[in-house]
Amino acid sequence: MEQVFTSQLKDYIGKEVTLKGWVANLRSSGKIYFLEFRDGAGFTQVVVNQKEVEESSWQAVQQVTIESSIIAEGVVSKHPKKEEYELQTKILTLVGKAEEYPIGKKEHGPDFLLDNRHLWLRSPKQWAIQRVRNTIINATYEFLNSQGFIKFDSPILTPTSCEGTTTLFEIDYFGEPAYLTQSGQLYLEAAIASLGRVFDFGPVFRAEKSKTRRHLTEFWMMDAEAAFVEHEENLKIQEELISFIVARTLEINKKELEILERDTKPLENVKPPFYRITHAEAVKKLREQGSDIGEMDDLGADDETVLTQMYDKPIFVEKYPAAVKAFYMKRDPSDPTRVLNADLLAHEGYGEIIGGSQREDNYNELLARMKEHKLPIEPFQWYLDTRKFGSVPHSGFGYGLERIVAWICGLKHIRESIPFPRLINRLRP
Ligand code: 4AD
Ligand code: MG
């Protein structure tokens, strides 16, 4: 019998197939077993009727427990009304009998579930989240490749910081200090003079002391960088990328979003152009809402929540005060206290998903900024070099994959958006 996945059953109605997978749940009326079956690709019901199977299969099904692995061979039938299929089993084989499964139908606390993350990943919601994550990754590659961006792999072990020195993980690199990367951006800035448009995609690390629903210590970032792209065009690339990702998810992951009980209306609205407001306007709006944010303050997580609930699609907040942003951002020529940057905030209270900016491309200006930020010049000399040999205006941005997964899936906390979350108080499993 041909081995198929549950996602293919619609093409096999009335035919004999073999399914291999796990039993998520089961019930029995004595003479007949109904197994809730899953195989990674999807779910289906496997029916084992004593009258239709040999004694060995009947013995096997009586041994089946929740999360046991099985092979079921039989005939596919379709639910008379719904888009659901069923296997009328002829032969059932028990592959691995599961011990009593610790995750039940009852509510578990987050710590218990995170301690059992290796098992929790099997639950339908966790299955759905990882599949949406996969779509977002693929859509990102697809979109960027279509726009001429070349995948370029930035290093993970670095001699310097990229996003400030307070959140660095330091390691001992053969007797010298080294750091786990916070972002591959600086390396991409070197790469554009070779490839024009580049992106990286990989794990980055922040020794964040923040215990919020938005922070991980290890997360996946996609940094993109493009030569001859200035501030305005940088925003256009971002809104098109995010719109493409959301559209792909809505197209490919209907079932997953249903399992996640995600209201898809707000996602259907994610189309260019996104809203654009300046930092100064954002502060004004927030103060009207009762926030005590200062005129030159960074937006806090609560500010972002309040602000993004006022809009029905993502919002760019542009031109932050230079003092609260990274050293490499280019100053706004019309107001040198501010930079040509934008944070992209997801609506529905989610907040920042992208940070980006035009970069300082003048050697002396950049050097002055680095001195202001008290950065050591010698280990950054290679980066300064890029401004000596054919410097060009350029811009880029970085997205946090888990922030986007959490938003698209409608998750309350970022920890479920990554397979094995690393948080300030969690390194296991
Ligand atoms: O805003 P950030 O710090 O920007 C950079 O690192 C730039 N070098 C990117 C660039 O221009 N190439 O981080 C980028 C994004 C944020 O918008 C957020 O989505 C995510 O990374 N992020 C985090 N996600 C999870 N946990 C954390 N602790 C995060 N810190 C940032
Ligand atoms: Mg940021």
Side-chain angles (χ1 to χ4, degrees):
M1 288 184 213
E2 189 178 349
Q3 194 204 323
V4 301
F5 294 106
T6 47
S7 52
Q8 299 170 283
L9 292 179
K10 62 180 187 309
D11 301 326
Y12 288 86
I13 299 163
K15 301 207 173 105
E16 292 203 335
V17 300
T18 301
L19 292 174
K20 299 184 176 183
W22 295 262
V23 175
N25 211 347
L26 69 158
R27 63 195 163 84
S28 160
S29 66
K31 303 255 175 253
I32 182 160
Y33 273 82
F34 298 96
L35 309 181
E36 217 178 274
F37 174 89
R38 57 175 187 84
D39 65 352
F43 308 85
T44 195
Q45 177 156 269
V46 167
V47 183
V48 186
N49 189 332
Q50 189 177 13
K51 280 197 294 207
E52 320 221 336
V53 296
E54 307 236 347
E55 184 54 24
S56 58
S57 292
W58 188 245
Q59 289 294 329
V61 76
Q62 289 174 297
Q63 299 280 309
V64 168
T65 52
I66 288 176
E67 288 306 318
S68 287
S69 47
I70 59 166
I71 298 174
E73 299 167 66
V75 179
V76 180
S77 62
K78 184 180 177 299
H79 188 284
K81 292 192 194 99
K82 289 186 253 176
E83 279 294 309
E84 282 172 16
Y85 305 89
E86 211 172 69
L87 190 81
Q88 309 298 331
T89 306
K90 292 189 165 168
I91 305 171
L92 188 106
T93 314
L94 178 61
V95 179
K97 181 174 169 157
E99 294 179 14
E100 197 184 334
Y101 197 59
I103 300 180
K105 294 284 167 216
K106 70 171 165 79
E107 286 281 314
H108 294 289
D111 281 327
F112 175 84
L113 290 169
L114 286 167
D115 286 343
N116 287 286
R117 183 63 172 164
H118 52 298
L119 302 176
W120 186 27
L121 284 169
R122 303 179 184 199
S123 303
K125 281 195 176 169
Q126 303 307 315
W127 172 87
I129 294 167
Q130 290 311 314
R131 287 173 62 97
V132 169
R133 182 179 167 110
N134 179 62
T135 301
I136 296 170
I137 294 169
N138 284 337
T140 299
Y141 276 82
E142 190 181 347
F143 177 83
L144 290 172
N145 284 151
S146 79
Q147 301 297 306
F149 285 81
I150 301 295
K151 173 83 190 321
F152 181 89
D153 300 317
S154 299
I156 303 283
L157 293 172
T158 62
T160 52
S161 75
C162 177
E163 293 299 317
T165 50
T166 54
T167 63
L168 282 171
F169 276 110
E170 187 175 322
I171 57 160
D172 174 18
Y173 193 73
F174 307 110
E176 271 186 55
Y179 310 97
L180 298 179
T181 186
Q182 297 165 307
S183 157
Q185 178 197 324
L186 306 187
Y187 295 95
L188 294 188
E189 288 188 60
I192 56 165
S194 166
L195 296 159
R197 292 178 159 211
V198 290
F199 71 106
D200 64 20
F201 204 151
V204 299
F205 306 85
R206 303 270 169 109
E208 297 265 10
K209 294 269 156 50
S210 355
K211 238 182 172 175
T212 77
R213 61 193 173 83
R214 295 175 184 175
H215 288 91
L216 294 161
T217 53
E218 175 181 300
F219 62 98
W220 281 63
M221 192 183 297
M222 188 288 294
D223 298 282
E225 197 74 25
F228 298 105
V229 165
E230 302 202 37
H231 179 62
E232 269 307 314
E233 194 183 349
N234 195 27
L235 305 198
K236 275 197 83 170
I237 297 169
Q238 293 171 48
E239 67 191 2
E240 281 171 12
L241 167 66
I242 296 300
S243 302
F244 185 82
I245 289 171
V246 170
R248 266 284 184 277
T249 311
L250 288 171
E251 176 192 330
I252 297 175
N253 297 121
K254 282 199 179 66
K255 166 121 183 124
E256 288 81 353
L257 294 170
E258 217 178 278
I259 290 175
L260 292 164
E261 297 172 53
R262 176 63 159 113
D263 176 9
T264 52
K265 276 253 156 50
L267 295 178
E268 278 151 25
N269 214 21
V270 180
K271 292 184 184 126
F274 294 169
Y275 296 106
R276 287 163 167 68
I277 61 169
T278 62
H279 173 271
E281 287 163 348
V283 166
K284 191 158 165 273
K285 277 182 192 290
L286 285 165
R287 290 171 77 128
E288 282 164 10
Q289 298 294 312
S291 167
D292 57 3
I293 184 171
E295 268 173 24
M296 296 308 251
D297 286 353
D298 202 356
L299 266 57
D302 292 343
D303 295 319
E304 289 185 1
T305 304
V306 171
L307 192 66
T308 62
Q309 280 166 343
M310 297 163 76
Y311 293 88
D312 60 0
K313 57 167 131 170
I315 312 111
F316 285 111
V317 181
E318 301 177 77
K319 301 189 177 176
Y320 279 62
V324 302
K325 287 292 178 186
F327 72 95
Y328 50 71
M329 293 186 182
K330 193 175 180 68
R331 298 289 167 116
D332 178 4
S334 67
D335 177 359
T337 66
R338 295 182 177 270
V339 284
L340 290 177
N341 84 311
D343 279 358
L344 179 61
L345 314 184
H347 56 316
E348 306 176 86
Y350 275 90
E352 181 184 348
I353 53 173
I354 296 186
S357 68
Q358 186 164 342
R359 320 304 192 187
E360 182 49 72
D361 49 63
N362 177 279
Y363 185 95
N364 289 323
E365 288 284 330
L366 185 59
L367 185 62
R369 300 286 166 256
M370 293 173 69
K371 286 183 175 155
E372 278 168 28
H373 279 82
K374 302 203 166 40
L375 290 169
I377 303 305
E378 191 278 324
F380 278 105
Q381 192 56 54
W382 68 272
Y383 179 66
L384 280 159
D385 268 3
T386 60
R387 274 64 172 172
K388 274 203 285 192
F389 301 99
S391 189
V392 296
H394 64 284
S395 303
F397 60 92
Y399 84 37
L401 175 60
E402 292 74 18
R403 296 265 182 101
I404 297 179
V405 173
W407 165 51
I408 293 182
C409 290
L411 309 178
K412 290 200 185 74
H413 197 294
I414 197 168
R415 64 191 165 215
E416 290 178 49
S417 63
I418 188 163
F420 291 94
R422 300 296 178 236
L423 302 158
I424 163 173
N425 54 0
R426 178 166 295 277
L427 185 61
R428 292 191 185 145

